[in-house]
């Protein structure tokens, strides 16, 4: 009965989690990648074509788009260049903003589906904590999951992050179950978890070393392996256990490949109808292979022998190519190859401090128990699946060059929740203050989540705080373009008669949200046609914090002597063209505008904004004189 009541309570907590994650949908516009994921998923169902956004998981894209089928949504015509060149951003812009569809309803439906992966993850957290530490710990673990700002921020976004988090945990769980009872049902669960992980995200190969560790741990432990297939028997001896697990794993991998093929309609070709010299991918195979690497020959071999669907191979190659070098920002530094300290730092500042305190209390309780070496080995054995997931994923993340968002470390969080749940043992301990401390820490953890609501993505703990976070990290760790509705409300409450200039990072459409202003320095994120360079003057300047940090403009990084020299050369060229009535090329105009914008931001760095909207927009009021000074007079270079 106790376990049943705990399960019912956990179900209620997870229902609350789903509501908390999804109910904030209307307070956000589309975040950076959602436009691509949802458009691609809908196109897979309705066109049976896999050209759009193959570099992200087929599973979350299809799953999120499922409730949109049968709604009578208008999809852009396929007889256009954007479709022929596989431009998911242009197609998505048309579908989201120009086709007259119910955009808020589309986002609510897609986000609600992704949040179900969060519910499944929370259920696994509960089951693991109950198995390892009992029902009280399981309720604490699932509550930590449900109120964690990172799980709430990303748990209901149409991306692949929550799906991958769920399937990594499911895959190691299923493998561990199969390693202790070899049955058709457990083999089928591992096949399903493995196959779905493979089509959830292209980091799926990390499950191989995780399972290899579990294989070694299981085989090293004496004990027979009960098997119910093909005939009931008891496999005794390390060699027989190892051979059976190898055979089962090979069979599971083969069947998981079938799951991959099924997700692409059992068709090799990426395109439903290929037209030579007219149809192509947005990024060609030549670009994907131009940097070489040990994996490129494997891609070529897989294509030559059609081992996997073409779109899947392409997506894997695209991820491999562009995850090795990605522009990123951390504490004033800019790199394309990442930092070892990126994820440790973001975890330290984006995780409620109460969780670290609970982890410490769980560790103290474990250390206080009197156990001999054999008992400790037994406990480590029981924890092996979670520890292998944690160790392998952290090792990979520390060496990853993909440092564009804290969300990429999400798969380790379920392990932290289960670990921290061990603190629940203090509740019944003789030391009453210890039990009270656990209760207070759990309440503090929940309060942190409620305090930041609905801006879960902008959560930072007391070490940094959300208002100062933009000085440390940006992009999807803080500013993923989600706050246009908040900006609209702020502008309605603070009308300004003068010109408005906006530099926005994200995939939202300002016109759709009724935001009027001249866009500056953000042409890479503006799919509406516009001229460059923009004519700049004094007025209200609203700048996304990612744009303010110059992560993705031509003038990336801090303003230095080299950039100043480049800007002076461009300015001289512009003045010469004005004198001779010449014109800048479009590319020259874009570059000059971005350099002007970067120089202006440089001059604003020592100045406090007049407002900060939803932690992701900095607002300045500038006079014509101040703008002209920033653009043309000498500046101090630190």
């Amino acid at each position: 009965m106790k376990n049943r009541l705990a399960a019912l309570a956990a179900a209620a907590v997870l229902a609350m989690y789903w509501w908390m994650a999804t109910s904030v949908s209307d307070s956000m516009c589309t975040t950076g990648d959602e436009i691509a994921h949802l458009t691609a998923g809908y196109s897979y169902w309705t066109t049976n074509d896999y050209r759009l956004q193959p570099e992200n998981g087929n599973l979350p894209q299809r799953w999120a788009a499922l409730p949109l089928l049968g709604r009578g949504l208008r999809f852009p015509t396929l007889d256009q260049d954007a479709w022929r060149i596989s431009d998911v951003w242009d197609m998505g812009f048309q579908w989201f903003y120009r086709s007259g569809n119910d955009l808020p309803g589309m986002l609510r439906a897609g986000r609600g589906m992704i949040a179900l992966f969060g519910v499944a993850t929370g259920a696994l957290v509960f089951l693991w904590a109950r198995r390892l530490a009992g029902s009280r710990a399981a309720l604490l673990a699932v509550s930590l999951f449900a109120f964690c700002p990172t799980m709430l921020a990303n748990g209901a976004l149409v991306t692949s992050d929550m799906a991958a988090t769920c399937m990594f945990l499911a895959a190691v769980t299923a493998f561990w179950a199969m390693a202790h009872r070899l049955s058709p049902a457990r083999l089928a669960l591992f096949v399903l978890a493995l196959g779905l992980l493979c089509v959830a995200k292209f980091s799926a190969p990390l499950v191989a070393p995780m399972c290899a560790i579990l294989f070694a741990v299981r085989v090293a432990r004496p004990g027979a392996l009960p098997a119910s297939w093909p005939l009931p028997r008891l496999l005794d001896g390390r060699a027989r256990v190892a051979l059976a697990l190898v055979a089962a794993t090979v069979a599971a991998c083969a069947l998981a490949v079938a799951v991959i093929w099924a997700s692409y309609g059992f068709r090799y070709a990426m395109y439903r109808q290929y037209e030579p010299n007219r149809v192509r991918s947005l990024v060609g195979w030549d670009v994907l292979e131009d940097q070489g690497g040990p994996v490129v020959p494997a891609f070529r071999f897989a294509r030559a022998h059609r081992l996997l669907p073409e779109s899947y191979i392409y997506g894997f190659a695209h991820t491999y190519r562009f995850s090795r070098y990605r522009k990123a920002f951390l504490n004033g530094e800019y790199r394309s190859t990442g930092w070892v300290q990126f994820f440790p730092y973001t975890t330290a500042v984006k995780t409620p401090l109460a969780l670290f305190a609970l982890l410490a209390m769980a560790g103290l309780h474990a250390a206080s128990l009197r156990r001999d070496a054999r008992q400790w080995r037994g406990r480590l054995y029981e924890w092996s699946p979670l520890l292998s997931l944690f160790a392998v994923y952290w090792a990979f993340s520390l060496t990853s060059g993909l440092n564009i968002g804290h969300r990429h470390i999400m798969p380790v969080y379920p392990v932290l929740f289960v670990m921290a749940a061990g603190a629940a043992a203090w509740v019944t301990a003789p030391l009453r203050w210890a039990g009270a401390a656990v209760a207070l820490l759990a309440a503090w953890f929940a309060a942190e989540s409620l305090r930041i609501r609905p801006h879960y993505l902008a959560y930072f703990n007391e070490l940094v705080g959300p208002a100062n976070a933009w000085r440390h990290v940006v992009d999807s760790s803080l500013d993923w373009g989600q706050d246009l509705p908040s900006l609209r409300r702020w502008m309605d409450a603070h009308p300004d008669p003068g010109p408005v200039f906006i530099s926005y990072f994200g995939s939202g459409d300002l016109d759709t949200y009724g935001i009027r202003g001249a866009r500056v320095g953000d042409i890479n994120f503006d799919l509406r046609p516009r001229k460059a360079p923009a004519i700049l003057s004094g007025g209200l300047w609203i700048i996304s914090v990612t744009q303010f940090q110059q992560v993705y403009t031509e003038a990336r990084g801090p303003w230095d002597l080299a950039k100043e020299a480049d800007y002076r050369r461009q300015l001289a060229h512009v003045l010469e063209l004005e004198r001779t009535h010449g014109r800048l090329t479009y590319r020259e105009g874009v570059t000059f505008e971005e350099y002007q914008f970067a120089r202006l931001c440089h001059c604003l760095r020592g100045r406090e904004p007049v407002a900060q909207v939803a932690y992701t927009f900095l607002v300045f009021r500038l006079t014509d004189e101040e703008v002209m000074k920033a653009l043309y007079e000498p500046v101090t270079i630190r």
Side-chain angles (χ1 to χ4, degrees):
M1 181 60 72
K2 184 178 180 181
N3 284 342
R4 186 176 180 182
L5 288 175
L8 290 173
V13 170
L14 290 175
M16 181 175 61
Y17 163 80
W18 187 90
W19 177 82
M20 288 192 296
T22 59
S23 61
V24 299
S25 181
D26 288 351
S27 68
M28 302 187 296
C29 65
T30 173
T31 59
D33 291 350
E34 285 185 296
I35 188 172
H37 284 270
L38 201 55
T39 302
Y42 190 79
S43 74
Y44 299 160
W45 287 115
T46 58
T47 69
N48 193 29
D49 189 285
Y50 304 98
R51 71 184 68 192
L52 297 183
Q53 195 71 357
E55 62 268 25
N56 276 291
N58 183 291
L59 170 64
Q61 291 171 332
R62 277 185 176 274
W63 181 253
L66 193 58
L68 304 183
L69 304 177
R71 289 195 176 194
L73 299 176
R74 291 175 288 276
F75 197 72
T77 177
L78 306 186
D79 186 21
Q80 59 169 301
D81 287 341
W83 178 255
R84 282 188 281 270
I85 66 170
S86 310
D87 190 343
V88 70
W89 301 102
D90 196 346
M91 293 293 292
F93 182 84
Q94 295 176 49
W95 189 44
F96 272 48
Y97 305 120
R98 289 182 173 174
S99 299
N101 295 314
D102 175 17
L103 177 58
M106 291 163 57
L107 289 175
R108 281 195 300 269
R111 289 167 173 172
M113 292 296 284
I114 296 299
L116 293 176
F117 281 114
V119 171
T121 305
L124 287 171
V125 167
F126 172 80
L127 293 173
W128 268 109
R130 187 173 67 178
R131 177 178 177 176
L132 294 171
S135 296
R136 185 179 288 107
L139 284 176
L140 176 57
V142 76
S143 298
L144 293 174
F145 168 85
F147 283 96
C148 178
T150 295
M151 299 296 107
L152 288 165
N154 298 279
L157 294 182
V158 185
T159 64
S160 56
D161 300 300
M162 183 50 84
T165 299
C166 177
M167 298 321 302
F168 268 113
L169 184 57
V172 296
T173 301
F175 181 87
W176 195 240
M178 185 182 72
H180 288 81
R181 180 177 293 277
L182 192 53
S183 68
R186 295 193 178 197
L187 176 62
L189 284 175
F190 181 53
V191 168
L192 185 62
L194 182 60
L196 293 181
L197 173 60
C198 289
V199 291
K201 200 160 189 174
F202 288 106
S203 55
L206 291 177
V207 78
M210 295 175 191
C211 290
I213 292 172
L214 296 182
F215 172 83
V217 170
R218 175 63 183 90
V219 172
R221 183 183 177 90
L225 173 63
S228 58
W229 184 84
L231 294 173
R233 65 183 68 186
L234 198 63
L235 301 175
D236 202 2
R238 289 189 174 93
R240 296 182 69 190
V241 170
L243 184 60
L245 288 180
V246 167
T249 302
V250 170
C253 291
L255 293 170
V257 169
V259 174
I260 297 173
W261 276 101
S263 68
Y264 291 89
F266 293 101
R267 193 184 72 220
Y268 171 76
M270 184 185 303
Y271 310 99
R272 183 183 62 181
Q273 185 176 358
Y274 182 70
E275 302 171 72
N277 301 320
R278 293 193 71 204
V279 171
R280 63 176 177 83
S281 299
L282 193 60
V283 178
W285 280 102
D286 57 333
V287 176
L288 300 185
E289 298 176 354
D290 63 359
Q291 293 186 359
V295 184
V296 170
F299 297 147
R300 291 172 179 161
F301 183 84
R303 289 176 65 200
H305 296 84
R306 299 194 171 195
L307 299 181
L308 292 166
E310 182 183 23
S311 185
Y312 189 79
I313 302 170
Y314 178 94
F316 218 118
H318 190 286
T319 302
Y320 177 73
R321 167 66 171 79
F322 290 103
S323 64
R324 297 164 71 192
Y325 304 97
R326 288 291 292 271
K327 297 174 181 177
F329 170 82
L330 176 65
N331 290 326
E333 292 186 37
Y334 300 79
R335 290 187 187 176
S336 296
T337 53
W339 299 264
V340 170
Q341 69 269 27
F342 182 87
F343 289 112
Y345 178 81
T346 60
T347 301
V349 299
K350 284 189 68 66
T351 303
L353 295 177
L355 181 63
F356 298 125
L358 287 168
L359 286 167
M361 292 197 70
L364 286 173
H365 183 268
S368 69
L369 298 177
R370 294 182 178 180
R371 288 175 173 162
D372 58 27
R374 184 176 180 180
Q375 289 175 314
W376 280 113
R377 285 196 297 270
R379 289 296 288 167
L380 285 174
Y381 182 83
E382 293 172 351
W383 277 85
S384 294
L386 298 183
L387 295 177
S388 68
L389 191 162
F390 189 87
V392 171
Y393 208 92
W394 261 112
F396 167 76
S397 299
L398 292 176
T399 59
S400 171
L402 191 64
N403 289 173
I404 59 175
H406 176 64
R407 58 194 171 91
H408 289 132
I409 201 64
M410 280 175 58
V412 306
Y413 269 87
V415 183
L416 294 178
F417 302 140
V418 178
M419 287 179 173
W426 287 109
V427 174
T428 56
L431 298 174
R432 292 185 178 181
W433 67 264
V438 170
L440 287 173
L441 289 171
W444 179 21
F445 187 96
E448 287 288 280
S449 177
L450 297 174
R451 179 178 62 84
I452 199 64
R453 179 180 169 85
H455 305 295
Y456 295 123
L457 198 61
Y459 176 78
F460 284 78
N461 63 33
E462 291 81 356
L463 297 178
V464 169
N468 291 314
W470 63 273
R471 304 178 191 274
H472 303 273
V473 293
V474 288
D475 208 310
S476 62
S477 297
L478 168 66
D479 167 30
W480 217 3
Q482 70 271 15
D483 287 319
L484 290 184
S486 296
L487 178 60
R488 168 65 189 272
R489 289 192 294 272
W490 185 90
M491 294 179 72
D492 288 345
H494 301 82
D496 195 291
V500 176
F501 297 90
I502 301 174
S503 188
Y504 169 65
F505 169 76
S507 60
D509 180 56
L510 273 64
D511 287 358
T512 298
Y513 290 91
I515 298 172
R516 302 288 180 261
R519 296 188 65 166
V520 180
D522 61 359
I523 206 159
N524 289 330
F525 309 104
D526 186 5
L527 287 173
R528 293 183 180 271
R530 78 188 207 206
K531 295 180 180 180
I535 299 174
L536 310 182
S537 69
L540 191 70
W541 282 76
I542 303 170
I543 306 172
S544 288
V545 294
T546 303
Q547 287 294 105
F548 192 80
Q549 295 293 13
Q550 301 298 315
V551 181
Y552 295 111
T553 69
E554 290 283 341
R556 173 176 177 253
W559 195 261
D560 54 22
L561 291 174
K563 289 188 180 64
E564 179 69 12
D566 285 344
Y567 175 71
R568 289 295 175 183
R569 282 194 292 270
Q570 293 177 52
L571 180 59
H573 179 57
V574 169
L575 295 175
E576 177 62 19
L577 289 177
E578 287 182 355
R579 187 182 67 81
T580 59
H581 305 288
R583 289 186 178 181
L584 290 170
T585 66
Y586 177 74
R587 190 67 253 169
E588 288 175 332
V590 169
T591 301
F592 183 62
E593 177 181 302
E594 291 187 346
Y595 267 77
Q596 282 188 308
F597 173 67
R599 200 174 195 264
L600 178 73
C601 289
H602 172 73
C603 294
L604 292 174
R605 287 194 177 276
R607 177 170 177 164
E608 286 297 313
V610 298
Q612 189 175 7
V613 180
Y615 309 112
T616 61
F617 288 101
L618 303 179
V619 182
F620 300 89
R621 281 193 175 89
L622 304 176
T623 65
D624 288 342
E625 181 181 0
E626 288 172 327
V627 172
M628 293 303 104
K629 181 179 179 180
L631 296 181
Y632 302 116
E633 293 188 10
V635 296
T636 301
I637 298 176
R638 301 175 181 86

